[in-house]
Amino acid sequence: MRSDLKEWREPGALVETQALEAALGDPDLRIVDCTTWLVPAEPGDDAPYRVVPGTAEYAAGHIPGAVFLDIQGEISDPGTRLRFMAPSAERFAHAMGRLGIGNDSRVVLYSNGSIMWATRVWWMFRAFGFDRAAVLDGGFAKWQGEGRPVSTAPGGYPPTRFDASPRPGFFVDRGHVLARLEDDGTTAVNALAPEFFLGSGPSRYGRPGRIPGSVSVPAASLLDPADGTFVSLDEARRAHEASGVTPDKHVVAYCGGGISATVGLFLLHQLGYPDLTLYDASMGEWAHDPELPIETGAPADTG
């Protein structure tokens, strides 16, 4: 068991593999496989990538009882070229009800390949007023690596009603970001790999670079490379504070498409940071629009 769980703001938002195995079959438990893959876009497509739901991997083996959630197909806004934009409350509620998730359910989210898909859905649940979702630490790779049970039988729960109660402030748009570019009380946090932050190589999002004034806390640096689990809260705090991300700031997290940034948001929430939001369109919008300012190279030393 993690030694730092007692320090978490919401310890119940993280589930360890042994605890989930012990809970399999609980009547109120809903396990959701959120696996998604990003593959190169087709020639001539101005999208940064193609989105492939992880249905093949789900069919090959998943946690017993788990259902599959297609993030792009079921709980993203279908009316935009941008991928993974937050949907309407009605669309989200319909998808959850179809999966058998009600407001009294206890939900465990996991993904294969990267935990960011699970944290994205966790952030969305909170945005729509639901606080009974948790992320499986280490995801499916850790579960499978430990030899825990795997099933190929399709999971399913009886359809039910889910009432979404949207909370303001979880998602912001470009106007919000633009208005705060010169605001000393705001810190924009880039969760992409350092080369994308610096703009030192080609970018699949459009122009290379970052939102001016933003700082770098790569999502990958917040996960243990050995097993994909979250780093300790102390490590997460140090990583953010070293980049100037402190609890007194209004934190705007972003990445390429509003996915990997939720890894940092998950940990900052657990650290008790009170003012967190996600620029949902992220660099998929910002880098694509020549009217929006962009910055490359090493940040200027303001110390």
Side-chain angles (χ1 to χ4, degrees):
M1 181 176 178
R2 292 180 65 113
S3 60
D4 66 337
L5 263 183
K6 63 181 181 297
E7 303 167 16
W8 283 49
R9 179 179 182 178
E10 292 184 26
L14 187 74
V15 173
E16 295 183 80
T17 50
Q18 67 270 27
L20 179 57
E21 183 177 4
L24 291 179
D26 286 1
D28 65 338
L29 179 63
R30 302 290 183 264
I31 306 172
V32 183
D33 184 330
C34 309
T35 301
T36 305
W37 306 103
L38 305 180
V39 300
E42 298 287 355
D45 188 348
D46 69 350
Y49 41 68
R50 283 192 300 120
V51 179
V52 178
T55 49
E57 290 75 17
Y58 173 83
H62 50 265
I63 295 175
V67 292
F68 184 80
L69 173 62
D70 179 352
I71 297 178
Q72 174 60 38
E74 295 185 85
I75 57 168
S76 296
D77 182 356
T80 172
R81 72 165 187 87
L82 296 168
R83 306 300 192 257
F84 306 116
M85 292 290 287
S88 66
E90 293 75 19
R91 184 175 178 84
F92 186 83
H94 175 78
M96 294 306 105
R98 185 192 66 78
L99 291 176
I101 297 171
N103 295 85
D104 294 328
S105 299
R106 184 164 58 98
V107 179
V108 173
L109 307 162
Y110 77 90
S111 45
N112 204 340
S114 175
I115 210 166
M116 67 182 181
W117 303 108
T119 56
R120 167 68 187 198
V121 180
W122 173 86
W123 185 257
M124 294 178 76
F125 266 119
R126 291 190 55 80
F128 287 114
F130 183 84
D131 296 333
R132 289 171 58 83
V135 173
L136 179 65
D137 204 12
F140 188 68
K142 186 171 188 288
W143 177 276
Q144 193 171 36
E146 293 170 345
R148 301 189 187 277
V150 171
S151 174
T152 56
Y157 307 107
T160 189
R161 178 185 176 90
F162 182 93
D163 293 312
S165 302
R167 291 166 167 157
F170 276 75
F171 298 101
V172 295
D173 61 13
R174 58 192 279 170
H176 181 98
V177 179
L178 275 168
R180 286 160 177 76
L181 286 180
E182 305 296 330
D183 178 15
D184 291 339
T186 296
T187 300
V189 183
N190 184 310
L192 295 171
E195 60 268 26
F196 290 108
F197 175 78
L198 296 171
S200 58
S203 170
R204 63 185 179 186
Y205 304 107
R207 298 171 298 161
R210 62 185 176 273
I211 295 172
S214 56
V215 301
S216 175
V217 184
S221 71
L222 302 175
L223 300 170
D224 186 331
D227 61 4
T229 58
F230 291 103
V231 299
S232 70
L233 285 189
D234 281 343
E235 290 177 80
R237 181 183 294 107
R238 289 195 298 269
H240 284 92
E241 290 183 351
S243 293
V245 187
T246 50
D248 60 309
K249 302 289 189 180
H250 170 59
V251 177
V252 179
Y254 75 99
C255 49
I259 305 296
S260 65
T262 62
V263 174
L265 288 170
F266 182 82
L267 288 169
L268 288 172
H269 173 77
Q270 303 306 338
L271 284 165
Y273 278 55
D275 192 3
L276 305 171
T277 194
L278 175 65
Y279 173 31
D280 202 20
S282 287
M283 293 305 286
E285 175 181 65
W286 195 275
H288 201 77
D289 188 341
E291 298 297 319
L292 296 172
I294 206 159
E295 185 176 72
T296 60
D301 184 1
T302 58

